[in-house]
């Protein structure tokens, strides 16, 4: 009997701050040795997308703001801090991308999200920005 295997595919998607419509979607053949960080950097480089970051995390892509330019001050007690988040097969893991194997995964979605600070506490993290469409990003 001749052995065979089915190559698993992995969908990689990037969602920006202003629309649920992906900025980029591609399907890759999943490789046994790949981690999410490797796949992310390879995808961005394959499509000539400018980015700042490494396999350990994504600071900027598609011209997204970083640092103080990515902070929305709402009041003296409330702000939102924006940046790139990811989910793997619908779950937002608490790990760095370079520690997550994608060999058995089906979909990776990077999305521009925010952490919400209110009355001295961070009350949420990795909320999708496109649901708010913040004026300073979506003018």
């Amino acid at each position: 009997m001749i052995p065979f295997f089915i190559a698993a595919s992995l969908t990689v998607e990037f969602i920006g701050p202003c629309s649920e419509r992906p900025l980029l979607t591609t399907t890759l053949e999943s490789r046994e040795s790949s981690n999410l960080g490797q796949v992310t950097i390879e995808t961005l480089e394959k499509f000539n997308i400018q980015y700042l970051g490494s396999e350990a995390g994504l600071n900027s892509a598609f011209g997204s703001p970083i640092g103080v330019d990515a902070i929305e001050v709402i009041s003296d007690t409330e702000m939102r801090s924006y940046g790139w988040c990811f989910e793997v097969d619908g779950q937002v893991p608490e790990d760095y991308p370079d520690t997550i194997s994608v060999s058995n995964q089906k979909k990776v979605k990077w999305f521009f999200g925010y952490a919400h600070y209110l009355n001295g506490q961070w009350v949420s993290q990795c909320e999708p920005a496109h649901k708010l469409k913040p004026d300073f990003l979506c003018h």
Side-chain angles (χ1 to χ4, degrees):
M1 186 163 162
I2 299 172
F4 73 95
F5 65 94
I6 298 172
S9 62
L10 175 69
T11 300
V12 179
E13 187 173 80
F14 292 86
I15 307 290
C18 304
S19 173
E20 196 171 351
R21 201 169 98 209
L23 299 169
L24 172 67
T25 302
T26 189
T27 301
L28 311 169
E29 279 210 19
S30 182
R31 293 176 304 203
E32 196 66 35
S33 63
S34 291
N35 66 57
L36 175 56
Q38 291 171 326
V39 166
T40 299
I41 298 303
E42 288 172 8
T43 300
L44 292 168
E45 290 179 352
K46 177 181 177 181
F47 289 95
N48 295 314
I49 306 298
Q50 289 188 358
Y51 69 93
L52 293 173
S54 69
E55 291 182 10
L58 190 57
N59 299 328
S60 176
F62 301 91
S64 63
I66 59 173
V68 295
D69 293 333
I71 295 174
E72 178 185 24
V73 176
I74 299 165
S75 72
D76 289 345
T77 60
E78 185 177 14
M79 73 172 191
R80 294 185 189 109
S81 180
Y82 291 84
W84 286 96
C85 299
F86 62 90
E87 62 181 46
V88 180
D89 289 341
Q91 301 295 316
V92 178
E94 294 289 326
D95 299 312
Y96 290 105
D98 61 344
T99 66
I100 298 174
S101 171
V102 293
S103 61
N104 295 317
Q105 311 305 330
K106 297 194 180 354
K107 184 174 184 178
V108 170
K109 178 166 56 170
W110 282 91
F111 60 95
F112 203 69
Y114 65 91
H116 189 188
Y117 183 83
L118 181 63
N119 298 323
Q121 294 184 349
W122 291 101
V123 295
S124 71
Q125 67 179 16
C126 284
E127 299 289 333
H130 70 268
K131 292 183 178 181
L132 289 179
K133 295 180 179 65
D135 288 339
F136 83 104
L137 295 171
C138 305
H139 41 274

